[in-house]
Amino acid sequence: MPRLDLDSLAIAGLRTASRVIDALPEHVALRLAGGEHVVDGQRLDPHIALILAVQERAASAEGRTPGQRRTEIARSSQIAAGAPTKVGEVRDLTVRGGAGMVRARHYRPPGGGEGRPLVVFFHGGGWVVGGLDTHDQPCRLIA
């Protein structure tokens, strides 16, 4: 009998839960999120506010090691990403940084990228959490 991959099962369950949250009527998501979230006049979508509130209640970053945070960010990105967006080409590479070689990833848009500008995306995470795989989907969308 094949071994059950509990981590993949948990990610699939949480991905389904996030889709259920997204399907809630806006007024329900708003109430469950604890009300409206407005910063500098910009209103956060109630469904996103609810997902962030659930994450905050589940695990605060306070008291967690960088390794634990990397694991949480990796799992969260797998839950949110869904199926990878198709792009023309993805290549892993290394580039010279101030403290040595740094891993990087190049995304070529469908149909090639000749004559188009290059976008350099620096993800958040304070150079401690997050990485190529946690930000793969946003980079695919930018490409």
Side-chain angles (χ1 to χ4, degrees), residues 37-56:
H37 293 78
V38 179
V39 176
D40 295 333
Q42 300 291 314
R43 179 178 174 261
L44 184 62
D45 179 271
H47 300 95
I48 299 297
L50 178 55
I51 288 172
L52 292 173
V54 168
Q55 282 183 331
E56 187 176 306

Side-chain angles (χ1 to χ4, degrees), residues 47-121:
H47 300 95
I48 299 297
L50 178 55
I51 288 172
L52 292 173
V54 168
Q55 282 183 331
E56 187 176 306
R57 291 176 195 136
S60 168
E62 195 172 314
R64 298 211 184 287
T65 67
Q68 290 168 323
R69 288 294 299 140
R70 278 190 288 277
T71 299
E72 291 166 3
I73 296 292
R75 176 173 268 184
S76 294
S77 69
Q78 287 178 322
I79 293 165
T85 299
K86 291 190 184 294
V87 296
E89 179 187 10
V90 178
R91 281 187 308 139
D92 286 336
L93 42 102
T94 56
V95 295
R96 190 174 316 280
M101 299 306 281
V102 178
R103 292 175 53 225
R105 190 168 285 159
H106 180 260
Y107 298 85
R108 183 179 300 272
E114 291 76 20
R116 297 175 76 186
L118 176 69
V119 176
V120 179
F121 177 78

